[in-house]
Amino acid sequence: MKVSKLLMPTLREVPAEAEIKSHQLMLRAGLMRKTASGVYSYLPLGVKTLQNVEKIIREGMNNHGAQELLMPAILPKEILEESGRWEVFGPEMFRLKDRNSRDYCLGPTHEEMFTITVRDEVRSYKNLPLTLYQIQTKYRDERRPRFGVMRSREFIMKDAYSFDLNEEGLDASYKEMYNAYCEIFDRMKLDYTVVDADSGAMGGSGSQEFMVKSDVGEDTIAYCQECGYAANEEKMAGVPSSCVCPQGDMKIEKIHTPNVKTIEDLIKLFSCEPTLFVKTIIYKADGKPVAVMVRGDRDVNETKLQNYLGCLELEMADPQTVYDVTGAAVGFAGPVGIKCDVLMDLEVEKMKNFIIGANETDYHFKNVQPGRDFTPTATLDLRNVVCGDACPKCGGKIKTAQGIEVGHIFKLGTKYSKALGCTCLDEKGEDRTIIMGCYGIGVNRCVAAIVEQSSDENGIIWPVDVAPFKAIIVPVNEENQEQMALAEEIYNTLKSKGIDVLIDDRHERPGVKFKDADLIGIPVRITVGKKAADGIVEYKLRTEKESVDMTAEEAISSAIKYITQ
Ligand code: ATP
Ligand code: MG
């Protein structure tokens, strides 16, 4: 492809709309443009990159026995009603009506469609196991679309679903996908960590996420440096730390604490550490108030809470609800005499003589003891783990880092097959409910994650398999016939070998050409300048600082070796 003909609108300035590196570079390199919040259009370089990522995914899936299908993006309401998800999805799902007022949605995910397909098309165990996938556009009206295509409202997902007759079959299919994912992300040259993930209230039996460590990641990963165990923060069990409160059987005391509403206010007033306080937070779970207690310096883990309660909607209670259950303004809630269920974090169970709201405006209690002054409805792990916590597996020290979730594998069990009647006949001719797994990869998010991990001050550094073009030939002076002839010869030779190659034939200064080549991240650059007369060119890899002089033949064979290795 000639650069003069390529729609490649690179930008010198950093676009104001983009906060993070990958978003800035994807705009600057002319890969894409924003159409609406969380909705993007792809230009030629962007499309080629996406197609390369899709190719890597497709080959990985096919290598591991998965078969490709393509489902519609528009799904009729009835299909999601059968599984009960028409309601569950809430505002994240784009809903629409046809001209006859029939309800549809734009598919946010496709468990139902695949389950129905297998229900209708597979009769016998002889057709199992089966892993089916598609690479297709998903629609989710995200609460906070941001960071370009990292979290968008229209995005491409590879979603796969496995169908097995028994648990052992599911384990094998799951392992196969795990291996496929490792192969796929290795080929993308992503530096990733596989972490244990939450499998939800209905609980599948296992779930893992493929995380790319990055400061801009929206997920928190907790990992143990000693034994290597890693989990999503939502999932990792909190190990209670030992109590630092005063010991002994001290008498409960009510203290006047006017206008003291936050933990910071309390620390100032009592001039002590937040580890001597307990926070009581009132939530509404499907409308019903519930109080949650965690140590003063901890955060409630809403995933753990929601899993325990099995509720669809969880939100912080409004001041009126807080008043109804505590009889006090916000900031003075506590377990003693409260009019709702009380859930206590495991760590609080170990605490003695702590300070907590008295359910009376402007008052706190001192020296409160669980069991003596109140009895919680349940005691369980309800907090987020933090850096320095003990590892739940080996007792080592936990560290935390931010991660970008690029893929997710999940043992679904029979959640959808039961709801949708997806059964088949086993060896004995008996009807059995099929056991499922599901496996997702965010295609556009992978592209963004690669850029996030692989760039320098000059632009993107594409791994070879992902790069939209593998090599770029730069004649320094396109009006010089000798240079142009040699440049074209190299270009044509690489092209004839099936390599996606660019020739920068624009009437531009070499500096401009080099800047663009670096910005768009082409792995190999071959510059044809003054030494063309002697058949010498400059060979430079995007990953290296310096170029090397070599003959055109050497440059061609080095390029072919590097690109096809
Ligand atoms: P997240 O926690 O980031 O919202 P999710 O749990 O909703 O992700 P899944 O439903 O498991 O995601 O989707 C599979 C994959 O699709 C994710 O691992 C991610 O890579 C990608 N993905 C999900 N939501 C988005 C989005 N809004 N924009 C881009 N990619 C997404
Ligand atoms: Mg999501």
Side-chain angles (χ1 to χ4, degrees):
M1 178 91 208
K2 290 181 175 169
V3 176
S4 62
K5 300 274 184 287
L6 179 64
L7 177 61
M8 187 187 84
T10 53
L11 309 172
R12 291 282 167 260
E13 301 295 317
V14 176
E17 66 181 270
E19 295 166 60
I20 63 166
K21 198 165 50 183
S22 56
H23 188 190
Q24 291 169 355
L25 284 172
M26 288 176 75
L27 291 171
R28 285 190 54 212
L31 265 62
M32 60 173 201
R33 292 291 181 257
K34 178 173 161 182
T35 302
S37 165
V39 180
Y40 287 84
S41 317
Y42 282 85
L43 302 178
L45 289 180
V47 172
K48 282 184 78 84
T49 309
L50 271 179
Q51 286 171 342
N52 290 339
V53 166
E54 289 178 6
K55 180 169 181 275
I56 292 174
I57 295 173
R58 204 166 256 128
E59 288 174 2
M61 295 301 288
N62 295 348
N63 280 344
H64 288 268
Q67 300 173 54
E68 186 166 357
L69 272 64
L70 185 57
M71 295 299 179
I74 294 188
L75 303 176
K77 179 184 184 183
E78 294 69 34
I79 288 180
L80 281 104
E81 270 182 333
E82 265 191 80
S83 68
R85 287 213 291 184
W86 184 260
E87 297 302 326
V88 171
F89 266 114
E92 198 168 294
M93 193 161 76
F94 281 101
R95 292 155 205 265
L96 64 156
K97 285 189 190 296
D98 70 7
R99 63 175 76 210
N100 297 313
S101 287
R102 285 191 206 97
D103 288 305
Y104 294 83
C105 71
L106 296 178
T109 172
H110 281 76
E111 279 80 3
E112 286 84 353
M113 273 312 303
F114 278 80
T115 311
I116 287 173
T117 303
V118 170
R119 175 188 73 192
D120 295 347
E121 310 300 336
V122 174
R123 295 268 165 273
S124 155
Y125 72 96
K126 288 181 191 146
N127 298 111
L128 299 185
L130 204 53
T131 297
L132 306 173
Y133 77 98
Q134 64 174 345
I135 296 179
Q136 188 241 23
T137 307
K138 301 278 186 260
Y139 297 87
R140 294 183 185 176
D141 195 356
E142 297 276 358
R143 192 191 294 264
R144 270 192 88 190
R146 61 177 191 155
F147 294 164
V149 295
M150 202 74 98
R151 179 169 302 283
S152 51
R153 299 196 296 167
E154 178 183 275
F155 59 97
I156 303 169
M157 194 199 286
K158 185 287 299 170
D159 48 328
Y161 307 86
S162 64
F163 300 85
D164 279 280
L165 206 58
N166 51 38
E167 292 289 340
E168 297 80 68
L170 170 62
D171 289 347
S173 299
Y174 182 90
K175 183 85 190 117
E176 197 70 43
M177 284 299 107
Y178 179 99
N179 292 338
Y181 275 38
C182 292
E183 241 173 69
I184 288 167
F185 295 125
D186 284 344
R187 264 187 85 187
M188 293 182 198
K189 298 277 187 274
L190 280 169
D191 178 13
Y192 61 91
T193 310
V194 188
V195 307
D196 273 6
D198 174 56
S199 33
M202 317 290 225
S205 43
S207 161
Q208 285 165 301
E209 286 163 349
F210 288 71
M211 291 283 192
V212 169
K213 275 190 199 165
S214 158
D215 290 342
V216 305
E218 292 183 289
D219 287 88
T220 304
I221 311 167
Y223 60 99
C224 173
Q225 281 189 311
E226 270 133 85
C227 73
Y229 175 62
N232 192 311
E233 180 196 52
E234 290 171 355
K235 163 84 178 174
M236 189 174 275
V239 177
S241 55
S242 44
C243 172
V244 290
C245 305
Q247 296 299 301
D249 201 16
M250 299 165 85
K251 230 179 106 200
I252 185 167
E253 248 181 82
K254 195 190 276 181
I255 311 274
H256 191 215
T257 54
N259 293 320
V260 169
K261 289 189 177 154
T262 64
I263 288 291
E264 287 71 40
D265 295 340
L266 272 172
I267 292 169
K268 260 196 212 139
L269 184 77
F270 285 86
S271 61
C272 63
E273 293 296 313
T275 45
L276 306 187
F277 300 98
V278 173
K279 290 195 242 190
T280 309
I281 297 153
I282 316 294
Y283 282 93
K284 271 166 93 170
D286 290 339
K288 189 180 169 219
V290 57
V292 179
M293 297 168 62
V294 291
R295 200 171 81 178
D297 57 335
R298 304 302 196 195
D299 288 320
V300 175
N301 182 316
E302 294 184 355
T303 305
K304 292 177 183 174
L305 178 60
Q306 193 160 5
N307 284 348
Y308 173 76
L309 293 169
C311 59
L312 289 181
E313 286 220 15
L314 184 72
E315 55 184 348
M316 298 274 256
D318 51 284
Q320 183 59 48
T321 307
V322 173
Y323 186 83
D324 291 346
V325 296
T326 65
V330 172
F332 302 95
V336 183
I338 198 165
K339 288 190 237 122
C340 66
D341 284 351
V342 175
L343 304 180
M344 182 168 80
D345 180 55
L346 280 175
E347 196 167 53
V348 180
E349 192 180 32
K350 290 197 159 190
M351 292 172 69
K352 269 191 138 183
N353 302 315
F354 52 77
I355 298 163
I356 198 161
N359 292 330
E360 190 177 334
T361 304
D362 292 343
Y363 285 93
H364 279 78
F365 281 131
K366 218 174 127 174
N367 304 332
V368 175
Q369 298 197 12
R372 184 191 71 181
D373 302 317
F374 71 96
T375 307
T377 319
T379 303
L380 66 152
D381 173 29
L382 284 170
R383 70 173 178 97
N384 279 340
V385 291
V386 291
C387 195
D389 270 348
C391 168
K393 299 278 180 209
C394 78
K397 263 209 164 93
I398 292 297
K399 282 199 141 194
T400 57
Q402 294 310 110
I404 302 167
E405 178 196 321
V406 287
H408 190 182
I409 56 177
F410 195 113
K411 292 184 184 172
L412 276 175
T414 54
K415 182 175 168 187
Y416 294 95
S417 45
K418 238 190 207 149
L420 298 163
C422 179
T423 62
C424 80
L425 298 174
D426 66 11
E427 296 93 327
K428 295 181 201 137
E430 281 165 21
D431 228 12
R432 290 259 289 268
T433 302
I434 291 178
I435 302 179
M436 292 172 59
C438 74
Y439 316 90
I441 293 180
V443 177
N444 330 59
R445 192 182 282 184
C446 281
V447 174
I450 293 166
V451 177
E452 203 57 50
Q453 259 192 356
S454 182
S455 72
D456 63 12
E457 65 282 7
N458 299 321
I460 301 172
I461 304 176
W462 290 120
V464 172
D465 283 357
V466 178
F469 289 92
K470 313 302 178 194
I472 182 164
I473 317 303
V474 183
V476 168
N477 176 4
E478 68 295 327
E479 280 166 5
N480 177 309
Q481 282 188 359
E482 208 161 31
Q483 288 183 25
M484 222 27 211
L486 185 59
E488 272 171 359
E489 190 189 319
I490 300 170
Y491 170 73
N492 286 327
T493 310
L494 290 178
K495 225 167 87 169
S496 71
K497 302 281 179 198
I499 289 173
D500 244 335
V501 55
L502 282 173
I503 181 163
D504 198 345
D505 59 335
R506 293 177 299 173
H507 180 59
E508 287 283 2
R509 282 179 291 119
V512 171
K513 297 182 183 180
F514 295 154
K515 270 211 161 68
D516 274 341
D518 277 355
L519 178 58
I520 65 174
I522 306 305
V524 178
R525 189 179 84 199
I526 298 173
T527 306
V528 185
K530 287 203 180 98
K531 294 181 195 156
D534 308 321
I536 301 292
V537 298
E538 284 174 22
Y539 179 84
K540 184 179 173 298
L541 297 181
R542 181 65 183 85
T543 50
E544 303 291 327
K545 283 265 169 283
E546 304 298 331
S547 64
V548 184
D549 277 2
M550 51 178 85
T551 64
E553 292 72 35
E554 280 168 343
I556 290 168
S557 60
S558 303
I560 292 172
K561 198 164 156 222
Y562 185 73
I563 291 161
T564 57
Q565 69 197 345

